[in-house]
Amino acid sequence: MQLPQKHSAEGTTIFTVMSALAQQHSAINLSQGFPDFPVDQRLGQLLHEAVQEGFNQYAPMPGLPQLRQAISNDFSKRYGVDVNPDTEITITPGATYAIYTAFTSILQPGDEVIVLEPAYDSYIPNIETNGAKAITVPLISPSFKVDWNKVKDAISAKTKAIIVNTPHNPTGAIWTRQDWDQLAALVRNTDIIIVSDEVYEQLVFDGKEHYTVLQHAELRKRSFAIYSFGKVFNNTGWKIGYCIAPPDFTKAFRRIHQFLCFSVNTPAQYAIATYLSQPRLPDVAKMMQQKRDYFLDLLKKTPFKIYGPAAGSYFQTVSYEQISDMPDREFAEYLTKEYGVATIPISAFYLGKKDDKLIRFCFAKKEETLAKAVDRLSKLQPMVTNTHSSALLSGLTQQG
Ligand code: PMP
Ligand code: GLN
């Protein structure tokens, strides 16, 4: 039987592929983004208590009221924005689902969505599954800032939405307030909707700040903002996220959501609601920045070239151009099999599989994991002598 191909992505996601390869070769897994350290004991205890206390049946469709209220308080405290818990917040089984649901709420066959590449790998399949077309715009290498002229050129009468991501996976770049202003200027007087993937909002380093689309009064009216507890509470496997959007957008979102999963894991919502309402939570940005710095320091022992430290997220992208001229996917497999360290090839984040000889490490790991991985990588020897690439790289590091 011939079944329809709903999107153009080949095979299985790179995260599944590389994690499986890591396991097969007993490699240290710095590929898929997830912490290898335990969740805060208190959060685990709260989950246990929720189950014991009998919160085991369906939660309300939009999410547990206490959790939505806790999120609203949290956004008021951290960003100074008012979010109505009843009409603007919907709890979802993770951010991937929320992004899909946002697209499904707004897209019709023939629509176009602008995607800035490299882009998280679910965006384009989600767009295509809804019968719409992804119009890709490359970020400026090596800073991975947005080329606003290119975004302007990509806008057409068919543009329904633009998906943006800050802090950015895989490059760690973050948006400034000016970026949001540029975006606002481009979409003013259009009906273009913004899908803002902000799952790493709390992972911003070196005293910099995350600007959420919710702080931009003009853009907020036309945006779905998407978050994931997995990234801030180190529990990616719980798959709890949420979508914040204006009441009319939230209505459209829930119209789909109610028939897609209806409601989300009840005990996990109880646990997170109580945890989030504590007056003081662990400083995840500080902890992750320490890991980034520790990892970057270790990487000096390897021949990788670094663009500059990740400003946010828990990923560090590096160039191996002066080590090998293998395609990036082949190189990532080679590192896994021969050196016992799994990473993600950046071509996986491009529709056209653009290969700039970059790989991504996840540094959300115990120090001992990072040390062991870099110890293995420090044995790497350059396999190419290519003057063109070294010239290019010195340019990269200067700017990075
Ligand atoms: N967006 C980005 C940029 C991500 O890196 C991830 C990774 N998990 C997600 C969305 C999905 O988050 P979740 O695990 O909550 O589905
Ligand atoms: N967001 C994670 C990453 O970028 C992976 C999530 C997934 O496996 N789909 O590594």
Side-chain angles (χ1 to χ4, degrees), residues 13 15-16 31-33 96 120-121 169 200 231 315 349 360:
T13 86
F15 307 115
T16 305
S31 65
Q32 194 177 23
T96 313
Y120 187 58
D121 75 336
N169 179 6
Y200 299 101
K231 309 293 173 188
F315 302 115
F349 295 81
R360 186 198 81 177

Side-chain angles (χ1 to χ4, degrees), residues 37 58 105 292 330:
F37 44 87
Y58 292 126
S105 325
R292 181 204 63 178
E330 201 180 305

